[in-house]
Amino acid sequence: DSGLSSAIHLEELNASINPNITTVKPFANSLRKLIASYNCGITNAGLSTAIYLEELDAYYNPKITIKLY
């Protein structure tokens, strides 16, 4: 998380198989696409600020139960 804190304009992120990334808050206003599959540390709470997210891949991530429509 701390390594991404300055990436405030990030639009796409592949956090799959990275349990150290737990939130998208630093770039929640710019993030459009997120891949958070498998052993990713991101949870529903870590996504709560991602209001512009258009595409979410949370395949085999039981910590994410929300759906995008």
Side-chain angles (χ1 to χ4, degrees):
D1 284 343
S2 63
L4 292 172
S5 62
S6 63
I8 59 173
H9 299 294
L10 197 65
E11 292 185 11
E12 293 185 18
L13 175 65
N14 184 344
S16 294
I17 314 172
N18 190 336
N20 298 319
I21 300 174
T22 60
T23 184
V24 298
K25 188 174 182 175
F27 32 87
N29 290 328
S30 62
L31 192 66
R32 302 290 186 262
K33 179 179 179 180
L34 175 64
I35 303 171
S37 303
Y38 298 97
N39 188 27
C40 176
I42 297 174
T43 64
N44 287 343
L47 287 176
S48 64
T49 57
I51 58 174
Y52 297 107
L53 196 61
E54 297 171 357
E55 191 174 332
L56 172 63
D57 177 355
Y59 190 70
Y60 279 113
N61 183 343
K63 298 175 204 140
I64 298 177
T65 59
I66 61 171
K67 305 285 186 225
L68 295 180
Y69 296 101

